[in-house]
Amino acid sequence: MTYNVKINDFEGPIDLLMGNVTSGKIDVNSITLFSLVLEFIEAIDARSTHPLDTLSRFISVMTTLLRHKCRSMLGKTSEEDLDLDEISSAEEKELLLISILGATVFKEVSLEIQRCIEETSTTIARSVGPDLELVADIADPLRKISPKDLRDVFERMVSTVEQEVIDASHITTVPISVREVGEAVMGKIITFKKVTFAELIKFSTSRFEVVVSFLIILEGARAGVLILEMTEIDDKEGVLVSLGAEVSEVEFEKFAELIRAID
Amino acid sequence: MKAADEMKGNGAFGPLTQEVVSSIEALLVVASEPLSASEISDMLAVDLEVVAESISTLRRFYDESRRAFYLAEIGGGYQIRTRPEFESVVKRYIDLSYKERLSKAALEVLAIVAYRQPISRAQITHIRGVNSDATLRLLVERGYIESKERDDGPGKALLFRTTRLFLERLGLYSLEELPPLDEFVPDARVVEDLEEALFSDSSS
């Protein structure tokens, strides 16, 4: 994109202005560079976008105009040679020379480093565990873990709070197998002969099981298979359940069948 | 007095030194990396001077008894290493073929970091005149250099330094053992030739 300027009698692209100045058609001293810059700033402020090529071209032209103006103001007879091209070139070459020398030095140093590495590799360190190259290749699992992270994880592990489980027992009927409860109760009575009611329901998981167990021993007492008596255990009153003294195995098995039949 | 006598407790340091010498030897035998004098001093609860004397005794003992290994001062510490003359024998047992060689570019970048550390990526590229990002990554991966700090200036550029592994690989105790840089500066004639070539280029 071309930037047009309007200055003195000239109006047109800035490149044409520079061409006229270079060819001597326009006296550079008649141009106020400051006003050109102000106009340019106003122009770019008025735009929503600033094309990079226009900006850079303007700066380039202004630099050249400034140089021309400086040379013109100093005059051709001036003893001071203001050949910016030459100065810039000389500086660049100095820098290039320094840069090449620096790179050369480090190239030489790199050879010395290589020599040192080769010399050292002729001796082998006593090694314990994996070789350092191998260790370097293994990703460190704790790399981004701080001691605080480790502590937090440890605390979470040791302070696990048991989640409260809300079951549906208070709103729905929990199915109880009378047969299973009966067999458990009968099994304990046959094994221990005499057992407290507390012992019988020790591993019951719900109130329904307790109720079923109680009904079974009540039924057993009514049928004359079981004997229930109040007793004192550890200063507490309890019910002692025992097999009837004159109950035969056949009679007990009949009762057991009855319980199973309920299921 | 021979180091062996000192080891037996007949030396000027007495039985305490013998115990310290043996303890240091035990540590060096199990250490996978060079152990510094201060680390040894802390572990054995003895003065640094005692550690230095004991190390010296141990080193002389290995030399005098013509052991196949020696006590190297390397990577800021001490390490038991096989002697160079046994290289061929040891390498029959240990396969070192996997040990990668560094490219010329990597060695150049390593040299720049070694002498100009801490140094930023841009500064390295400026010195070399070519982009060195990939080479830097490679050297970091291999553990020769690391970047743990940032420049205070604009952009907070990462700054690179050599690591302890770099010293170990070069067989150096510290960076101070690096040869002075001026030893590698080309002589005046080379500089003049280069200068002449550059300026004659411009005049032609």
Side-chain angles (χ1 to χ4, degrees):
Chain A
M1 189 179 286
T2 311
Y3 174 67
N4 289 323
V5 292
K6 187 179 177 183
I7 192 158
N8 301 341
D9 296 332
F10 177 83
E11 185 174 357
I14 193 166
D15 286 332
L16 183 61
L17 173 69
M18 196 183 73
N20 288 344
V21 169
T22 311
S23 61
K25 287 179 187 169
I26 295 177
D27 181 12
V28 72
N29 291 313
S30 67
I31 302 170
T32 317
L33 296 180
F34 181 65
S35 63
L36 270 181
V37 172
L38 285 181
E39 274 177 31
F40 183 72
I41 291 170
E42 280 175 19
I44 59 171
D45 277 349
R47 288 186 188 176
S48 56
T49 56
H50 304 139
L52 196 61
D53 57 341
T54 308
L55 293 173
S56 57
R57 186 67 197 143
F58 180 80
I59 292 166
S60 169
V61 170
M62 288 308 293
T63 309
T64 311
L65 287 174
L66 186 65
R67 195 170 69 193
H68 280 296
K69 197 161 186 176
C70 288
R71 293 182 75 171
S72 168
M73 288 171 78
L74 283 168
K76 288 179 182 177
T77 53
S78 170
E79 286 181 5
E80 283 188 56
D81 183 14
L82 196 72
D83 196 333
L84 296 176
D85 271 338
E86 277 181 23
I87 286 175
S88 165
S89 172
E91 277 178 354
E92 279 173 8
K93 276 169 187 153
E94 283 289 323
L95 287 172
L96 182 62
L97 182 65
I98 292 166
S99 175
I100 291 172
L101 284 175
T104 310
V105 167
F106 286 113
K107 270 187 204 297
E108 291 295 320
V109 175
S110 71
L111 295 176
E112 176 63 13
I113 284 180
Q114 188 176 23
R115 192 195 62 74
C116 288
I117 290 174
E118 282 171 4
E119 192 178 296
T120 310
S121 72
T122 61
T123 73
I124 314 296
R126 192 195 178 284
S127 56
V128 176
D131 192 272
L132 287 175
E133 278 88 355
L134 186 63
V135 171
D137 287 341
I138 298 171
D140 182 1
L142 298 179
R143 202 172 195 174
K144 287 180 181 172
I145 297 174
S146 68
K148 186 183 172 300
D149 295 334
L150 284 175
R151 193 197 64 195
D152 291 348
V153 171
F154 175 75
E155 282 182 353
R156 278 202 297 277
M157 283 170 64
V158 296
S159 62
T160 304
V161 179
E162 200 170 309
Q163 294 290 317
E164 191 177 342
V165 178
I166 301 172
D167 61 20
S169 60
H170 61 294
I171 50 172
T172 57
T173 307
V174 179
I176 297 290
S177 168
V178 176
R179 178 178 174 172
E180 284 175 14
V181 176
E183 282 184 348
V185 169
M186 293 301 161
K188 279 184 185 174
I189 294 169
I190 291 169
T191 306
F192 300 110
K193 307 297 182 197
K194 283 186 179 180
V195 61
T196 62
F197 183 70
E199 285 290 326
L200 278 178
I201 59 166
K202 194 171 183 179
F203 298 105
S204 298
T205 54
S206 69
R207 287 184 179 182
F208 293 96
E209 269 192 62
V210 176
V211 172
V212 170
S213 301
F214 185 68
L215 290 174
I216 288 171
I217 60 166
L218 274 183
E219 187 60 24
R222 195 188 63 78
V225 178
L226 299 174
I227 298 169
L228 306 180
E229 53 189 319
M230 294 299 292
T231 183
E232 200 167 284
I233 303 157
D234 297 335
D235 296 334
K236 283 183 182 175
E237 287 191 337
V239 178
L240 187 67
V241 185
S242 57
L243 210 57
E246 296 174 2
V247 177
S248 64
E249 272 190 31
V250 179
E251 286 173 311
F252 188 79
E253 188 52 40
K254 274 185 182 175
F255 176 71
E257 278 298 319
L258 186 70
I259 299 299
R260 288 186 195 112
I262 296 171
D263 205 29
Chain B
M1 180 175 288
K2 284 194 168 186
D5 292 332
E6 285 181 24
M7 294 283 286
K8 287 172 188 166
N10 301 329
F13 307 107
L16 175 64
T17 307
Q18 183 199 351
E19 190 187 329
V20 172
V21 171
S22 300
S23 301
I24 291 173
E25 190 176 31
L27 292 175
L28 291 169
V29 162
V30 296
S32 57
E33 289 181 344
L35 282 178
S36 70
S38 59
E39 283 172 325
I40 296 170
S41 167
D42 288 346
M43 280 187 277
L44 301 181
V46 292
D47 291 341
L48 282 170
E49 290 79 16
V50 177
V51 173
E53 290 288 351
S54 305
I55 289 281
S56 171
T57 304
L58 203 52
R59 183 182 293 124
R60 282 193 295 118
F61 173 66
Y62 291 158
D63 291 343
E64 287 167 10
S65 56
R66 302 170 69 84
R67 309 306 295 259
F69 48 86
Y70 71 107
L71 196 49
E73 280 187 47
I74 196 167
Y78 303 98
Q79 189 174 51
I80 293 175
R81 300 180 72 93
T82 57
R83 290 189 191 276
E85 53 264 40
F86 297 102
E87 180 196 4
S88 60
V89 178
V90 172
K91 286 182 179 174
R92 279 180 217 164
Y93 178 70
I94 302 173
D95 178 19
L96 297 172
S97 56
Y98 67 88
K99 290 198 173 181
E100 71 285 335
R101 289 171 65 87
L102 290 176
S103 66
K104 279 186 179 177
L107 285 166
E108 275 176 38
V109 172
L110 199 53
I112 292 168
V113 176
Y115 281 89
R116 290 280 182 261
Q117 59 186 299
I119 187 169
S120 72
R121 198 185 301 267
Q123 287 170 320
I124 295 167
T125 300
H126 180 71
I127 291 172
R128 292 191 68 217
V130 289
N131 187 301
S132 306
D133 289 3
T135 316
L136 276 169
R137 270 200 304 277
L138 177 92
L139 289 171
V140 170
E141 278 172 17
R142 294 197 184 169
Y144 284 94
I145 60 173
E146 62 187 3
S147 55
K148 288 185 174 175
E149 58 195 301
R150 286 184 180 274
D151 191 14
D152 293 332
K156 305 276 179 198
L158 274 174
L159 297 175
F160 292 89
R161 281 183 186 278
T162 53
T163 61
R164 189 176 180 176
L165 183 72
F166 165 80
L167 293 175
E168 285 178 39
R169 287 283 182 268
L170 265 72
L172 303 175
Y173 181 75
S174 69
L175 289 171
E176 287 168 11
E177 288 184 5
L178 280 169
L181 207 54
D182 53 19
E183 286 181 11
F184 302 96
V185 175
D187 57 38
R189 187 180 290 175
V190 176
V191 179
E192 277 171 18
D193 288 349
L194 190 61
E195 206 168 0
E196 199 178 327
L198 274 174
F199 285 91
S200 66
D201 245 14
S202 66
S203 58
S204 58

